[in-house]
């Protein structure tokens, strides 16, 4: 049961429209903690956000997804930036947590930490030694017109609108191990195996 005292007043947008080309199959169906990776993430996001949307699913609603979570189709696949547009357009709150569907180690602690730093900014995302991590970030609805313009211009890079909005990059150097684990994403069978080993402590 969700602890309503911890619920953040925003929407959780899970971007699930990727083709999984490098993985070889749909990443949302990867097995994780006795369920699928998508269901695992949806449970975490819905436990802390006031609203949860999944953008870009292929086929119908997957088994195990809460009936309160809204699944949004994408008529045209325009990458994560297109998914962001659909999510920002559909959400009922002015601010959203955005997360890619292939990040198994996302936690409520990480979500709360990012949310706490987002006040007064239109885009808030972590920055590590590896660079920016825009697919785990906080974005406001005010980003939407800039996202739409970039898509109309044929742009597909998620970071393409950052110089048009008030953006904050969170310095993660003080908790390198925590953020390194949190921001793991899965793009290949080898990365999936390493994540499973890490989860099992092997």
């Amino acid at each position: 049961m969700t602890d309503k005292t911890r619920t953040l007043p925003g929407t959780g947008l899970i971007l699930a429209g990727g083709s999984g080309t490098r993985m070889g199959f749909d990443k949302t169906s990867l097995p994780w903690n006795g369920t699928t990776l998508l269901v695992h993430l949806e449970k975490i996001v819905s436990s802390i956000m006031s609203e949860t949307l999944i953008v870009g699913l292929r086929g119908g609603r997957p088994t195990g997804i809460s009936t309160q979570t809204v699944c949004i189709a994408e008529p045209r696949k325009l990458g994560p930036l297109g998914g962001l547009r659909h999510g920002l357009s559909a959400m009922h709150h002015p601010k959203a947590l955005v997360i890619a569907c292939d990040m198994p180690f996302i936690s409520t602690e990480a979500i709360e930490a990012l949310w706490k730093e987002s006040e007064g900014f239109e885009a808030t995302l972590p920055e590590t030694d590896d660079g920016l991590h825009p697919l785990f970030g906080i974005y406001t609805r005010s980003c939407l017109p800039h996202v739409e313009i970039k898509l109309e211009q044929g742009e597909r890079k998620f970071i393409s609108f950052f110089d048009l909005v008030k953006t904050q990059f969170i310095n993660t150097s003080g908790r390198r191990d925590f953020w390194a684990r949190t921001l793991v994403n899965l793009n290949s069978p080898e990365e999936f195996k390493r994540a499973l080993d890490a989860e099992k402590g092997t």
Side-chain angles (χ1 to χ4, degrees):
M1 180 179 297
T2 301
D3 179 0
K4 292 301 182 182
T5 64
R6 296 179 63 241
T7 301
L8 298 175
T11 299
L13 301 180
I14 302 175
L15 303 184
S19 61
T21 302
R22 285 179 287 175
M23 181 65 71
F25 48 85
D26 184 1
K27 290 187 281 190
T28 63
S29 62
L30 288 171
W32 194 266
N33 281 346
T35 181
T36 65
L37 182 54
L38 179 62
V39 171
H40 167 75
L41 287 172
E42 186 265 348
K43 289 184 183 302
I44 291 172
V45 172
S46 63
S47 76
I48 193 170
M49 304 306 298
S50 300
E51 174 186 48
T52 303
L53 309 178
I54 302 176
V55 182
L57 279 176
R58 291 168 171 77
R61 175 185 294 271
T63 301
I65 295 296
S66 168
T67 57
Q68 296 181 351
T69 292
V70 176
C71 297
I72 302 172
E74 288 184 89
R76 295 177 61 204
K77 296 294 184 181
L78 299 176
L81 192 61
L84 178 64
R85 177 181 64 181
H86 284 292
L88 294 179
S89 298
M91 69 185 191
H92 293 95
H93 294 275
K95 186 185 291 188
L97 161 77
V98 173
I99 172 177
C101 69
D102 63 350
M103 303 181 74
F105 298 121
I106 293 298
S107 64
T108 55
E109 180 185 0
I111 293 170
E112 287 177 323
L114 202 60
W115 190 270
K116 183 179 179 180
E117 298 291 339
S118 68
E119 187 65 32
F121 293 90
E122 295 172 282
T124 302
L125 58 149
E127 182 174 19
T128 69
D129 294 340
D130 296 328
L132 301 178
H133 296 266
L135 295 185
F136 180 59
I138 308 295
Y139 300 91
T140 64
R141 190 183 288 116
S142 60
C143 294
L144 181 58
H146 305 292
V147 170
E148 290 179 329
I149 288 172
K150 289 300 181 180
L151 287 169
E152 290 171 3
Q153 293 173 344
E155 182 63 70
R156 297 294 180 268
K157 291 181 180 179
F158 201 93
I159 65 173
S160 61
F161 69 97
F162 283 6
D163 60 342
L164 303 175
V165 300
K166 191 175 181 181
T167 303
Q168 178 178 211
F169 305 126
I170 302 300
N171 187 327
T172 59
S173 60
R175 302 183 69 189
R176 278 192 171 88
D177 291 344
F178 172 79
W179 285 106
R181 178 179 172 87
T182 295
L183 297 170
V184 165
N185 67 304
L186 309 178
N187 290 308
S188 69
E190 293 76 20
E191 290 176 347
F192 177 49
K193 182 180 183 305
R194 286 197 294 270
L196 283 176
D197 289 343
E199 177 70 1
K200 296 173 184 175
T202 59

